[in-house]
Amino acid sequence: ETGVTQTPRHLVMGMTNKKSLKCEQHLGHNAMYWYKQSAKKPLELMFVYSLEERVENNSVPSRFSPECPNSSHLFLHLHTLQPEDSALYLCASSQDKGGGSGANVLTFGAGSRLTVL
Amino acid sequence: AQSVTQPDIHITVSEGASLELRCNYSYGATPYLFWYVQSPGQGLQLLLKYFSGDTLVQGIKGFEAEFKRSQSSFNLRKPSVHWSDAAEYFCAVDGGSQGNLIFGKGTKLSVKP
């Protein structure tokens, strides 16, 4: 399998549930990202991992908990979510984190559509 | 702070007609600029990017974009649209020290037969 794979593609959960989103990249990249895509809003960067170390957390509520056990896998653990958290969650990877003289060319997965009831 | 503006939320063009999607960015230095496309139910796919050099860049699927520093713009063009081009298009800028992409809100393209 190639590229960036996200599972599950669709998830429905209640506000008291605990679930996880999984992302796997087969590109040999060193950086991985979680983005949130809501209707009529720009993509929001949630978390950035570089070489398995979290380097950015964009003021994301603690009910979202990322985990990066190795450079190929990224998880987003979800608990006690709110209906406004319903969105498409996109995982992406890049060769390196970028910045400075480097540039970020992101490869995205197909996303996990989350609905919170 | 960096920002990206895509002024058109939704555009409809006839198949075979030309297309131009607008993108304006705010950044002090020379930015790295990108266009991504998202088909329904899918993630984002890179169409093209501008890092430096020739201000007219070619991408996949027959798309091109032109960087105009004086206008802070990076508009996407295609001379003849195909029905399969119907999708949402996102412009993005990467110019910060953190190296994170800032996306516009997107332009949805519909194609009439």
Side-chain angles (χ1 to χ4, degrees):
Chain A
E1 201 164 345
T2 59
V4 180
T5 304
Q6 290 188 242
T7 55
R9 293 292 311 276
H10 300 272
L11 178 63
V12 179
M13 59 187 290
M15 290 192 287
T16 58
N17 291 158
K18 291 185 180 181
K19 298 285 185 182
S20 296
L21 306 180
K22 178 183 176 182
C23 176
E24 184 173 2
Q25 58 98 358
H26 307 270
L27 300 167
H29 287 169
N30 294 318
M32 296 187 76
Y33 310 77
W34 280 116
Y35 279 87
K36 177 183 179 182
Q37 186 178 30
S38 306
K40 301 180 181 178
K41 293 176 70 174
L43 273 77
E44 302 171 65
L45 179 64
M46 300 176 72
F47 300 104
V48 182
Y49 276 83
S50 178
L51 296 171
E52 304 146 41
E53 180 179 335
R54 190 192 307 181
V55 295
E56 187 151 342
N57 173 354
N58 272 359
S59 302
V60 179
S62 60
R63 57 186 183 269
F64 296 92
S65 174
E67 178 189 2
C68 188
N70 55 62
S71 60
S72 298
H73 293 86
L74 184 65
F75 294 89
L76 188 62
H77 303 300
L78 316 169
H79 62 98
T80 59
L81 295 190
Q82 304 299 311
E84 60 264 29
D85 296 322
S86 298
L88 182 68
Y89 289 85
L90 291 165
C91 175
S93 69
S94 63
Q95 183 61 54
D96 295 294
K97 183 183 170 298
S101 60
N104 259 342
V105 180
L106 299 182
T107 301
F108 284 85
S112 293
R113 172 71 63 187
L114 173 66
T115 302
V116 182
L117 302 177
Chain B
Q2 301 88 20
S3 65
V4 176
T5 301
Q6 293 181 249
D8 303 305
I9 297 173
H10 191 184
I11 285 181
T12 299
V13 300
S14 297
E15 190 168 17
S18 63
L19 171 71
E20 182 170 28
L21 301 182
R22 295 182 291 165
C23 173
N24 293 96
Y25 67 89
S26 172
Y27 183 64
T30 300
Y32 302 128
L33 294 159
F34 305 81
W35 275 99
Y36 282 85
V37 61
Q38 185 179 31
S39 298
Q42 298 298 316
L44 278 70
Q45 180 185 20
L46 180 68
L47 279 177
L48 47 79
K49 60 186 183 289
Y50 171 76
F51 288 172
S52 64
D54 192 345
T55 56
L56 184 64
V57 293
Q58 302 297 320
I60 62 171
K61 306 184 180 185
F63 285 92
E64 65 178 26
E66 186 172 12
F67 169 57
K68 292 185 177 180
R69 183 190 303 275
S70 61
Q71 298 177 20
S72 297
S73 70
F74 188 57
N75 293 350
L76 182 70
R77 302 193 293 248
K78 186 170 184 177
S80 177
V81 169
H82 188 262
W83 64 266
S84 60
D85 293 325
E88 191 155 18
Y89 292 79
F90 294 90
C91 182
V93 62
D94 178 359
S97 59
Q98 293 301 313
N100 296 327
L101 289 189
I102 306 298
F103 286 87
K105 290 187 177 182
T107 297
K108 184 176 180 180
L109 174 65
S110 297
V111 180
K112 292 189 300 185

